[in-house]
Amino acid sequence: MSEQIQVKNVSPVKVHQPPGGSNKKRPSARSQIYVRAVKGPIETFRRLFGFIFVGIFALIPWIQYDGHQAILLDIMNQRFTIFGLTLWPQDLTLLAYIFIVGAFALFFVTTFAGRVWCGFMCPQTTWVYMYVWFEEKIEGPRNKRIKLDERPLDFDKFWRKSLKHIAWLSVAMLTALTFVGYFTPIGALFIDFFTFNASFWAVFSILFFAGCTYGNAGWMREIMCTHMCPYARFQSAMFDKDTFTVSYDYNRGEKRGPRPRKLKHEELADKALGDCIDCNLCVQVCPTGIDIRNGLQYECINCGACVDACNGVMEKMNYPKGLISFTSEERLTGGHTNIVRPKLIGYFVVLLVMIGLLMADILTRSPLEVDLIRDRNSLFRENGRGNVENVYTIKILNKSQDTHTYTIEVKGLASYNILADTTVTVGGGEVFSMPLSLETSPKNLSEAVTDIYFHVRTEDAEGNVVEVDEPTKFLYR
């Protein structure tokens, strides 16, 4: 209790605010951010990665497998088809494993490399950059866009703004059509939509998701990342001093300020200057409008745009690159980054365990499932032949993609008769439902309740036997 707690003096830092819009007299909760284009290896990789991501998103619904859409999440029929795998509501544990694996993969990557998901893979970021690309091609670079918004409405401004929003809406409609195509056959969806034959819910879904895409990527943009996305709020729980994040080297950059290009790097100490020339390019290229020089902020999505912008300036000034870089807090303070550490190992081990459980669940998953429902109107009845009857409804779920013929038998009764077809054929990924009556002589029943099993059996194309015993009860007296 005698030890004194050291108090760290934290000096207030001037936080950058994005420039105001055209109406600067009226306060606004959000000033428009005019993102400046940047070139560099990180930006090239991000664009290539985004192009591949969008291509995969657009092509997957069109892939065919065994004569049907390879990935079809049919919510109306409660059936998810993923190539040769059909998932039903009974496969909830399998879906849970998939989400858990995705979550721990995200935790592992975030602990190692920060919010690279947000900067390189998040659909919001990808579509925002896509919209900004249209904006730049139609309205011009950042400075021209600012001047265009400050101008009164004329013909040039009208057609540029109109063309931009037409492009945005076109991308939003194609995005919505593709997205809805994951939940309904996409070929028929496109034909029905453009021939005005689509159903109400299909049209509603397309217009709803198109509106969301247009609003999120065109208007809300960074608000989705800074105010609506929960990941931005809890990401810091996964960070540590060894996490690679986009960071500004304060010790090297300060004191910042302009200087002539002819001033050599070796002469900066004599002028009491750091490497930062205070050009503000790192702010202008940031999609969330923050100043990375103020330190790590929850708005930063680790896209690396400021890294490319700063490295370009350093190259022109003949200064060493890396004033802003993907680095760790430990390295900035002169230490060594520990890549292999307990927290990262823990996430990796849990991720491997969950992947193992997911694979085990898939490999041990039976392609056949049987459900039995007893008739609720009568427990039993005696028919004209003097036998006791119980009525059931049997449901056979064929989880494979092939058509199979199933035989139905009963175990637990010495002799019995099934008053229904005992051989049924069920198509791939379909559910067969049939009422049936099971009768037996009272001499075969020694108790009021007899435990029995409905035995359903089939063989696949390779000759492997697939069978299920579904327990139920036969009632008498």
Side-chain angles (χ1 to χ4, degrees), residues 192-258:
D192 292 343
F193 182 77
F194 288 107
T195 56
F196 304 100
N197 292 320
S199 65
F200 167 80
W201 287 111
V203 173
F204 173 80
S205 301
I206 292 169
L207 295 180
F208 174 78
F209 288 112
C212 290
T213 304
Y214 174 73
N216 292 345
W219 294 96
M220 300 184 69
R221 295 191 178 179
E222 76 283 352
I223 291 180
M224 292 294 297
C225 303
T226 58
H227 296 292
M228 301 183 68
C229 177
Y231 183 49
R233 301 297 178 176
F234 69 79
Q235 56 150 341
S236 58
M238 292 168 275
F239 283 14
D240 55 36
K241 292 184 178 181
D242 297 302
T243 300
F244 287 97
T245 58
V246 175
S247 302
Y248 167 71
D249 192 341
Y250 181 87
N251 296 324
R252 175 186 159 187
E254 302 298 322
K255 176 182 174 184
R256 70 182 77 163

Side-chain angles (χ1 to χ4, degrees), residues 147-180:
K147 292 180 180 179
L148 183 67
D149 285 350
E150 292 175 348
R151 278 166 39 191
L153 183 63
D154 55 16
F155 178 76
D156 180 69
K157 182 175 181 178
F158 174 77
W159 80 260
R160 290 182 184 275
K161 292 290 184 181
S162 300
L163 182 60
K164 180 187 72 172
H165 287 285
I166 290 173
W168 283 3
L169 288 170
S170 300
V171 172
M173 288 299 297
L174 288 175
T175 301
L177 278 165
T178 303
F179 183 73
V180 176

Side-chain angles (χ1 to χ4, degrees), residues 3-19:
E3 295 183 1
Q4 183 178 2
I5 300 177
Q6 295 182 355
V7 179
K8 182 179 179 181
N9 183 17
V10 180
S11 300
V13 180
K14 182 180 178 181
V15 179
H16 162 77
Q17 297 293 340

Side-chain angles (χ1 to χ4, degrees), residues 379-398:
L379 296 179
F380 69 94
R381 66 186 179 197
E382 295 184 0
N383 57 29
R385 294 183 292 274
N387 293 330
V388 180
E389 281 189 31
N390 279 202
V391 180
Y392 307 87
T393 298
I394 186 170
K395 290 186 177 182
I396 300 176
L397 285 74
N398 182 5

Side-chain angles (χ1 to χ4, degrees), residues 252-259 263 268-275:
R252 175 186 159 187
E254 302 298 322
K255 176 182 174 184
R256 70 182 77 163
R259 77 287 310 271
L263 184 64
L268 294 180
D270 299 334
K271 301 291 185 179
L273 288 173
D275 285 4

